[in-house]
Amino acid sequence: MSETTPGAAAPSSNFIRQIIEEDVRTGKWRGRIATRFPPEPNGYLHLGHAKSICLNFGLARDYGGECHLRFDDTNPVKEEQEYVDSIIDAVRWLGFDWGDHLHFASDYFERFYGFAEHLIRRGKAYVDSLGAEEIRAYRGTLTEVGRDSPYRARGADESLDLFRRMRAGEFPDGAHVLRARIDMASPNLNLRDPVLYRIRRATHHRTGDAWCIYPMYDYAHCVSDAIERITHSICTLEFEDHRPLYDWVLDELADVLPWHSRQVEFARLNLTYTVLSKRKLIELVGSGAVEGWDDPRLPTLAGVRRRGFTPEAIRMFAERIGVAKADSWIEMGVLEDCLREDLNERAPRRIAVLDPLRLTIDNYPEGAVESCEAPNHPQHPERGTRPLPFSRELWIEREDFAETPPRGFFRLAPDAEVRLRYAYVVRCTGVEKDAAGRITTVHCRYDPDTRSGTPGAASRKVKGNIHWLSTAHAQSSELRLYDRLFRVPEAGAADSREALNPDSKRILTAFTEPALSQALPEERFQFERHGYFIADRSDGAPGRPVFNRAVSLRDSWSGRRG
RNA sequence: UGGGGAGUCGCCAAGCUGGUCCAAGGCACCGGAUUUUGAUUCCGGCAUUCGUAGGUUCGAAUCCUACCUCCCCAGCCA
């Protein structure tokens, strides 16, 4: 069905699993378990959808059922094939497989229509000729009951005739609608004779101009579920008070469509420092606040993929946050931590110097170069090493040197000792500054007996351990450092360009070790002491990759300082 | 103010057919050990309390009552 998620805890109990387990126990569906992920192809998928995808496909996987990918394409004016393609791509990327269950609500249009005639014949639906404004006025309010439309008494024959002519294209958009005949006085607004069909002369991305009437969600969704014999139709909380309508439709159609899926609602995902609504995402992209739907700062699946997230990390995340009915906000740290956990294990280590400072080893022979062996993974020696050229002139990280070290600093400082990772222990002997007083070069002397991998190295313990790159061998690469999109945790509550984090993207030119020039698009690495980076799949060229920082490493030092 | 939902540690979330809960687990946080990433790993700590107030009971987060707070619903969107 789909891949399991390594590193993820066994799925914890939740109310939906309980429902399913109870159903399995009582044989309610005669052993069948079928769920579905039903996106409307009118936008890009984001992490909120990922929660739903993992839930639906995960349930099918765990209970030996099937999960359908079904496009809810009932509104041609908003939907496009481009979105269908991107959604299919995203669900696949996440690691799920729907087998031969790729469906489209539009494939059921003819059956939807037939069932609608059935409702009309049985007096359960009628053609209303009120305008949109009037229908709203007649609907009443939250506290006042609605009034019957003057057309509500229309007979089955007349409605049937009108409905057929609606289909035939005899009327302009908006002239008539098909409505369910339920109860205009219901305290649940969804039951006040909801619209089932509207006239919409628009070209549908799949059915073209075959239809000029299109079904509404409340009618199409439950019928699609029944057609596909879905057992558990899982959706978000805002559909909770649509459930009586969902059940009404299937009850009224029972003799011609004898299947009644159970709708179950769960709380949608909220993530701090970002926004998970199609509308807000469109705003961000449209206003140019970000650089497109796959901008690495966006919570779209295309965005997090480009950012460097793995499908495994996202599945782990979905598992960790659980499923319940309480509105909640998940801290961005939970997502980030899932990525760290996944990549810590898998990503090969590499060296990059982001903010270079020259280090000269005065007692190292000029022109000499030796090769140091750097392990690809500290916990997995079997993954081998790669050579790192060492010489007299090196780049180190500017923040790894302090002229007046703060308390607890154990990197390089005047007269202090530090290990150059995978190479030698050096002692700082002085600095050079420019006219402005900025340090331009740090001088030091190395101890030839402390080379990594030799007996001398083991006998010499130094607390500090910094990374470096030989100036003659380092390449320069473009790095993008991404940070949270908003500076406030519950962004989107207030809508706000000003809540945007101005430093959500920083581009810099860094020095990277030689091996990195071979990085393939989407290859991920840990840049030691910095974080996890991915070679961008769109930008960069062969031999000159561009790297995106997916997430930094945990850093208990910078936190302590400030 | 009508209807539908939800309230358990900073953030999630088990538990909710009452006792084995003086409440799992994860993230965060705080120690401490190991460490050639101040990373990882490891070990320890972290709710006498379950929105509030009453009640039932030998016994309640779990049952009852009232109240409080928050979310959703008046598209010919999904």
Side-chain angles (χ1 to χ4, degrees), chain A residues 192-436:
Chain A
R192 318 242 263 228
D193 289 11
V195 172
L196 266 23
Y197 266 91
R198 75 283 212 187
I199 303 173
R200 197 83 125 202
R201 248 163 274 264
T203 301
H204 187 280
H205 64 101
R206 300 192 82 243
T207 59
D209 296 316
W211 295 84
C212 66
I213 58 172
Y214 292 93
M216 299 287 288
Y217 166 87
D218 284 308
Y219 175 67
H221 200 88
C222 54
V223 173
S224 300
D225 284 340
I227 288 174
E228 294 176 21
R229 301 199 308 134
I230 297 300
T231 56
H232 301 269
S233 181
I234 300 166
C235 61
T236 45
L237 252 27
E238 66 270 27
F239 291 102
E240 211 149 17
D241 47 19
H242 289 239
R243 192 171 59 219
L245 175 52
Y246 184 104
D247 290 331
W248 182 92
V249 172
L250 294 185
D251 283 344
E252 296 304 336
L253 255 22
D255 49 333
V256 286
L257 215 213
W259 187 269
H260 197 134
S261 318
R262 203 239 264 216
Q263 176 178 303
V264 181
E265 312 86 9
F266 71 99
R268 66 190 316 149
L269 171 66
N270 291 295
L271 241 197
T272 59
Y273 298 102
T274 189
V275 74
L276 292 177
S277 88
K278 267 180 195 169
R279 206 200 94 232
K280 299 228 164 76
L281 256 12
I282 287 169
E283 240 170 65
L284 287 169
V285 175
S287 69
V290 295
E291 294 156 32
W293 285 101
D294 64 347
D295 188 297
R297 291 167 290 184
L298 252 24
T300 51
L301 295 184
V304 297
R305 174 176 181 178
R306 233 185 128 182
R307 172 76 168 257
F309 275 80
T310 58
E312 290 80 359
I314 292 169
R315 282 186 252 137
M316 193 189 305
F317 173 70
E319 208 57 71
R320 262 183 205 180
I321 61 178
V323 178
K325 296 189 72 163
D327 293 315
S328 62
W329 282 84
I330 307 292
E331 292 172 345
M332 184 59 89
V334 178
L335 209 214
E336 294 172 339
D337 196 70
C338 289
L339 215 219
R340 290 194 188 100
E341 185 170 327
D342 185 29
L343 258 23
N344 172 54
E345 187 55 31
R346 319 196 321 188
R349 312 289 126 125
R350 293 291 183 267
I351 303 295
V353 175
L354 275 48
D355 184 13
L357 173 63
R358 183 179 297 272
L359 180 83
T360 300
I361 306 170
D362 295 314
N363 63 334
Y364 193 86
E366 222 154 322
V369 176
E370 63 186 296
S371 183
C372 297
E373 291 292 297
N376 289 323
H377 191 114
Q379 276 81 44
H380 295 284
E382 76 281 4
R383 295 188 197 172
T385 62
R386 80 283 180 188
L388 222 46
F390 182 86
S391 67
R392 176 186 165 97
E393 297 283 328
L394 307 176
W395 293 123
I396 63 169
E397 213 66 65
R398 188 167 283 275
E399 64 170 20
D400 284 340
F401 178 83
E403 199 171 15
T404 51
R407 206 170 60 83
F409 187 81
F410 46 81
R411 274 111 99 147
L412 202 55
D415 207 39
E417 262 188 352
V418 80
R419 172 170 290 283
L420 295 177
R421 201 161 165 68
Y422 311 131
Y424 299 93
V425 171
V426 296
R427 177 180 294 275
C428 172
T429 57
V431 299
E432 282 177 47
K433 297 182 179 177
D434 62 16

Side-chain angles (χ1 to χ4, degrees), chain A residues 20 51 106 263 486:
Chain A
I20 293 178
K51 177 182 181 182
S106 53
Q263 176 178 303
F486 293 96

